[in-house]
Amino acid sequence: MAVPGGTLPRPGADGGQSGGTPSLDALLEAIPIACAAFQDGSGQLVAGNRRYHDQFGPVPGHVSRERLMRELHPGSTGDTTGRRDVRLPHNGRWYSLHWGRVEDAGQPLDLLSAVDISERIEVLDSHKSQQEKLLFTSRLMSVGEMAATLAHELNQPLAAIVNYLNGSLRLVGQAGGPVQVERALQAARTQAEHASAVIGRVREFVRAREPRRSAHRLGGIADTVLELLRLEAERQQLCIELALPEDLPEVYADRVMVEQVLLNLVKNAIEAMRETPAERRALRVEGRVNLDGDVEVRVIDRGSGLSKAQQDQLFSPFFTTKADGLGIGLAICRSIIEYHEGRMFFEPAPGGGSVFGFTLPVAQGRQ
Ligand code: ADP
């Protein structure tokens, strides 16, 4: 049909079928996509099939070639050459518009055919978001690898420090050295042993592996995370309050991934309260079942909070306000939670500070 320079059969005297040559209307009607013919010159609609009227009818100016194109392509001159992909505002569907020249009864016409490409666009969009997710996951893995390497490197010197301290303690004991030196050596050994234990946990924690989802108690996940952050919290004279109801249902999740999310949120909350006066500092981790029947975890701090502009960028990769920040923590958290079919959110805490939260599906009926 849309062959440049093509010739349409002439309509019969009755305007319909004549001698087996269908009219322009009948021809357009037979085409299984939206089609319309516009007069050369004036650009007025001459004929359009039912699909054209159903799909393009609500577009203002659809009876004029130029107005239609200006409406669908704001800023354009109404030009009708080549192929255009447009989105119809009233139904949100995407169409690929093709223009061709034909002749009807010696009269040149511009023929528009519109292919519905909405499904193709949706596939492309979901492919793009899959790509972004993959990118996040690979970043997550590289951060994990960095942490694993660091933990491995630190493990050796820490073990050596503990050995030297044990040796020194033995020597001081044998020589009957000053008791203050002995106490200092013992305190140093306790700290080094603790650091080794933390490093050991980190190594276990970041071990790269495939996500494995099963039923987990949030209490157990929170205990692991709070243990890892205990020293940091103590250093800031901060007591972390854990408020998880006894009867909170188990969640269907990859334990290590959810630990990483919670660790990131609690760590951010601790860091956000650096400038908060010690007596006002408070960090609460609470859990409940929300109205959708999912488990919702909220980490509430009394830190600096966030401006509106900061809130808008919060989950974008590389957004950070910290001199030494990477700005990928929250982006990774969101991709982990979305992988679990959950939702990450932020809201200002009443009385100042922030609430960072996420949802996870309950395990019952999922395994
Ligand atoms: P990073 O901590 O490495 O900067 P994140 O993704 O963890 O990266 O966080 C991005 C930014 O979000 C932080 O730099 C900070 O500005 C803000 N932010 C995160 N958590 C909090 C919080 N609890 N209170 C205030 N700001 C926060």
Side-chain angles (χ1 to χ4, degrees), residues 1 29 38 68 74 95 102 105 155 192 196 211 215 254 282 284 286-287 351:
M1 269 306 287
E29 212 50 64
F38 296 83
L68 176 72
Y95 291 86
V102 289
N155 205 32
S196 285
D254 180 295
R284 186 178 154 90
E286 54 182 43

Side-chain angles (χ1 to χ4, degrees), residues 19-334:
T21 52
S23 71
L24 176 58
D25 283 324
L27 259 174
L28 293 182
E29 212 50 64
I31 300 172
I33 55 171
C35 254
F38 296 83
Q39 212 163 47
D40 183 44
S42 78
Q44 282 306 301
L45 180 72
V46 177
N49 62 9
R50 196 167 32 80
R51 289 184 182 82
Y52 177 76
H53 287 291
D54 287 350
Q55 291 157 31
F56 287 73
V59 179
H62 75 284
V63 291
S64 150
R65 181 184 56 202
E66 276 72 25
R67 279 194 60 202
L68 176 72
M69 288 313 283
R70 269 203 299 274
E71 192 69 38
L72 297 178
H73 244 283
S76 83
T77 53
D79 167 34
T80 54
T81 51
R83 198 195 105 177
R84 298 277 163 96
D85 292 346
V86 297
R87 184 171 177 272
L88 297 195
H90 64 275
N91 64 6
R93 296 194 72 80
W94 283 89
Y95 291 86
S96 180
L97 305 186
H98 301 257
W99 289 93
R101 299 275 286 174
V102 289
E103 246 180 50
D104 180 37
Q107 188 193 17
L109 294 173
D110 276 336
L111 190 76
L112 168 67
S113 49
V115 183
D116 189 332
I117 53 167
S118 308
E119 275 174 30
R120 209 188 311 158
I121 299 265
E122 273 163 29
V123 170
L124 282 176
D125 277 355
S126 87
H127 186 68
K128 194 164 152 247
S129 78
Q130 283 295 103
Q131 289 276 53
E132 279 163 6
K133 280 188 189 141
L134 274 177
L135 202 67
F136 283 143
T137 314
S138 74
R139 282 202 196 107
L140 174 73
M141 284 164 70
S142 47
V143 172
E145 270 165 31
M146 253 155 50
T149 313
L150 215 66
H152 180 75
E153 293 298 321
L154 289 176
N155 205 32
Q156 300 295 331
L158 275 171
I161 289 171
V162 173
N163 280 342
Y164 282 124
L165 288 170
N166 280 335
S168 308
L169 270 166
R170 260 197 312 275
L171 288 176
V172 170
Q174 281 162 9
V179 68
Q180 291 94 332
V181 174
E182 193 175 351
R183 275 210 209 113
L185 288 173
Q186 271 164 356
R189 185 180 57 185
T190 309
Q191 290 297 328
E193 280 170 351
H194 186 78
S196 285
V198 172
I199 293 291
R201 287 291 296 141
V202 171
R203 288 182 70 181
E204 202 182 307
F205 189 70
V206 296
R207 238 182 12 226
R209 58 181 181 78
E210 285 294 301
R212 274 201 306 261
R213 292 174 77 181
S214 53
H216 291 287
R217 270 189 342 102
L218 256 171
I221 293 178
D223 286 345
T224 307
V225 170
L226 298 195
E227 178 54 29
L228 277 169
L229 291 173
R230 198 163 56 84
L231 266 186
E232 212 164 320
E234 269 171 22
R235 212 174 299 133
Q236 282 213 40
Q237 301 156 46
L238 181 72
C239 178
I240 302 177
E241 187 190 348
L242 190 58
L244 300 175
E246 269 305 314
D247 58 353
L248 197 64
E250 291 184 312
V251 291
Y252 184 58
D254 180 295
R255 185 186 168 109
V256 173
M257 284 185 145
V258 177
E259 280 174 357
Q260 279 177 325
V261 172
L262 194 59
L263 180 95
N264 199 70
L265 298 187
V266 176
K267 207 165 157 23
N268 276 349
I270 295 175
E271 283 169 7
M273 287 192 286
R274 276 203 189 126
E275 308 301 328
T276 309
E279 70 281 5
R280 244 187 71 75
R281 274 177 218 153
L283 206 169
R284 186 178 154 90
V285 178
E286 54 182 43
R288 61 171 184 166
V289 176
N290 69 12
L291 292 175
D292 295 324
D294 292 323
V295 170
E296 190 179 279
V297 181
R298 301 158 75 86
V299 178
I300 307 158
D301 67 58
R302 291 217 188 123
S304 45
L306 287 151
S307 70
K308 181 76 189 67
Q310 287 172 336
Q311 287 175 34
D312 290 341
Q313 302 184 63
L314 208 48
F315 297 100
S316 320
F318 308 118
F319 166 70
T320 181
T321 54
K322 300 170 194 166
D324 56 347
L326 275 177
I328 57 169
L330 288 176
I332 288 173
C333 288
R334 188 167 70 168

